[in-house]
Amino acid sequence: MNKTKTEEKKEIRLNGAAVSAGIAIGKVFLADTYQHCPPYREIPKELRQKEMDRFKTAVKQTKTDFKATYTKIYERLGKNYAKIADAHILILEDPALQKKTQDLIKNGSNAEYAVYKTMEEFIVSLDSLQDEYFRDRRFDLQDVCKKLIDNLSGQNKSKLSSLGSDSIIAAHNLTPADTVAMREQFIKGFATDIGGKTSHTAIVARGFGIPAVVGLKNLSAIVKNGDAIIIDGNRGIAIVNPLKETVAFYEKEFEIWNDEYKGLEKLKDLPSETKDGVKIAVLANIDSPEEAENTAKQGIKGIGLYRTEFLYFNRSDMPSEEEHFENYKKAAESVSPFETIIRTLDLGGDKLFQMGLLNTDEENNPFMGLRAIRLCLKFPKMFKEQIRGILRASAFGKIKIMYPMISGIEELKAANNLLEEAKESLRKANEKFDENIEVGAMIEVPSAAVITDLLAKELDFVSIGTNDLIQYTLAVDRVNEDVAYLYDPIHPSIIRLLKQIIDGAVNAGIKSAMCGEMAGDPFYTPLLLGLGLKEFSVSPIQSAKIKKVIRAVKISDMQGLADEILKCGDRNITEELLNNIKKTINV
Ligand code: PEP
Ligand code: MG
C-alpha cells in the first residue's frame, strides 16, 4: 500500500543558489520557520507590563543563546566566523528595533506579533538597498527575530536532537546557530527558501563543508517531514521525491564526488606535474586563516588568493592594524614554508558608507565605481593599516602582497608608493618585516590585461581574476541571472586576452597565475596549460580535479590545442575541442 503511494509521488525539482558544494541524499527534516506572522493577541492593559517583562526575558535568553553560539563557532571555525553571532547580538540590541517592538507591546500587541511586525518593517527598508551585501543582511535580521520568537513561544530548543543520521534540513531560513547544531548532529545537508551567497549561514555551511542550496523560494511549503530529498550543492538544485532514475544518477554522482574527495588524499603526495614533466602549481583560494590551516592539512602547497574582505564584514568600524597582523600571521604560519598571497581590500563603496568614510550610499555602477584599489587609494590611512599588518606578518612566513582591480600604471605606482611609506614607517619603529616582499597585481580589468607587459615592470607577479575580467570584457554583470548566458570563459576575446597576459608576464620575466573561477574548472585546464599558465589558485575542494587533469596531459599536446583554438576563433569549436580532450583523458 505504502509502496504504491511512494510511486505515485511526483518528482519536484527546485532551482536555487549553490552555496556549499557536495551531494546529499536523505530525508526531509522540516525545521520550524516563521515565514508567516504569528497571530495577534490584544493584551489587556493590566497585563501589558507582564508582556513587556516576558519580551525582555526572551531578549536576555536570546542574547545568552547567541553568546553560546559565538563560543561554539569560535572553537570550531575561529574568530572571523564567530563574528556572525556577534553581529546578531548587535541587531538584537539595536535601539531602533527595540523601541519599535516595545512601542507595539505598550499599545497592546502580544510580543511575538510585535517582534514579527518590527522585523517586516525593517526588512522593507533593507530590500530597497542596491548593494547585495546589505540586502542580504535581511537574513540576519530574520535569524534574530526567529530566535526571539522561538524563545518567546517556548518552541525553541529545536527538535534537532530527534534528527536521524540521513536528515536533510529543509527550512524557510536557518540561523548560523541552527547550522552549528546540525553539524553536531552530522546532518547531511540543508536547503532553505531564502538566503543569498553572502548570507552568513551559507558562509558557515561552507566552512563546515555541509552541502547547501539556498534561495529555493517555496521549498519549505512543498515538503513534509520524511519526504525523500536530494541536495545538489554543486549545481544549486533540490529534488523532492526523486524518481528511481534520479536517485541512481545522484548515487553515482555522490560516489564520484566522494572518490574525488578521497582522490585528494591519494593525490596529496604525488607531484603536480604534466606527463612530460612540467611542474604546475595548484594553490588555494581562501577567506580566513582557519581555512589556511585546513588547506595545509589537505596537502595544498600555498595560498594563491587570500580574500581579506571577511575581516571587514559585520562591523561598523575598521579592523585595526593589529587584527590584520594577527590574521595574516596565523595564515602564513600554518601554510609555511609555502607562500600566502594576501590580496588587499576589495570592497565596494557602500560598506564604507556604513563605516562613515563616504558621504553617499549609492553609486550608479558600483562594479565600475569606488571599489578595491581605487577605494584604498582614496583612503590611504585605511590602506596603510592593512599593508602594515601584512608587512609585519611577513616576518612570520612567506607572504606576498597583491592589489585587486589595477587598471593602469599610475594607479599601480600610487599603491607601491603607499607600500613604501608603510615600509618606511615600520623601519622607523624597528618593526621586522620581509624587506623583499613580492608585490603582485590581479589582472581583472581589460585595460590591465592589454598592458600586462608594462605593468610587469613594476611587479613581481600577476594573477588573473577571470571572474571580473570576463564581466568587464564582455560587459556582463557577473551576478545578473538575465545576462548570465553571455558570461563565457571561452569567448575568443577572453582567450586572446589570457594569451596576451600570460605572454606579457613571461616576456617580462615575471610569474603569472590565475585565481578566478575559471582556474578551478577542470574543463578549461587543458586550454590554460596550453596557453602557458603555470600556476592555478582554486577553491580547495577543486584542487584534486585540477591536479588530476594536469597529471593526465602533455604540455606539448596542450600547446597544439591552444594554438588551434586561438586560430579558429570560434567558441563552439573551442567547446567541441575541449570536450574531445575531456573524453580522451577521461578525468
Ligand atoms: C576574480 O575577479 O576573478 C577574483 C578572483 O576576484 P573576486 O572574485 O574576489 O572579485
Ligand atoms: Mg575580482
Side-chain angles (χ1 to χ4, degrees), residues 492-509:
S493 64
I494 302 298
I495 299 174
R496 284 188 190 179
L497 276 183
L498 295 180
K499 169 103 180 111
Q500 198 167 350
I501 298 166
I502 296 166
D503 285 354
V506 170
N507 293 337

Side-chain angles (χ1 to χ4, degrees), residues 534-578:
K534 298 278 188 314
E535 189 170 308
F536 294 64
S537 189
V538 305
S539 140
I541 211 99
Q542 294 299 103
S543 66
K545 287 186 193 169
I546 303 302
K547 200 165 165 184
K548 250 184 177 175
V549 178
I550 291 168
R551 292 179 53 83
V553 299
K554 277 190 182 163
I555 283 286
S556 47
D557 294 343
M558 297 306 103
Q559 281 165 345
L561 172 83
D563 284 347
E564 200 178 340
I565 286 174
L566 279 163
K567 224 180 273 159
C568 82
D570 181 318
R571 63 98 42 221
N572 291 336
I573 297 176
T574 302
E575 190 169 6
E576 210 178 300
L577 289 167
L578 292 178

Side-chain angles (χ1 to χ4, degrees), residues 307 343 346 371 404-405 442 444 465 467-469 478:
R307 291 182 167 100
R343 179 176 77 180
D346 179 0
R371 187 189 153 186
M405 249 193 109
M442 304 260 312
E444 48 186 350
N467 308 343
D468 279 314
L469 185 64
R478 68 193 244 194

Side-chain angles (χ1 to χ4, degrees), residues 128 153 209 228 340 345-346 364 523 535:
S128 63
S153 58
T340 302
L345 176 62
D346 179 0
N364 282 336
F523 186 69
E535 189 170 308

Side-chain angles (χ1 to χ4, degrees), residues 20 64 197 202 258 445 500 504 519:
S20 185
T64 308
K197 268 183 298 181
N258 240 2
V445 178
Q500 198 167 350

Side-chain angles (χ1 to χ4, degrees), residues 167-227:
S167 296
I168 288 175
I169 300 276
H172 182 62
N173 190 20
L174 288 166
T175 65
D178 292 333
T179 321
V180 173
M182 280 196 281
R183 175 61 185 178
E184 283 165 1
Q185 300 289 333
F186 296 104
I187 279 303
K188 280 190 155 175
F190 75 81
T192 59
D193 296 349
I194 60 172
K197 268 183 298 181
T198 71
S199 68
H200 287 137
T201 305
I203 295 171
V204 172
R206 276 199 293 276
F208 280 140
I210 304 173
V213 181
V214 302
L216 291 158
K217 297 192 178 80
N218 55 349
L219 173 87
S220 73
I222 290 173
V223 293
K224 287 195 299 303
N225 267 325
D227 278 351

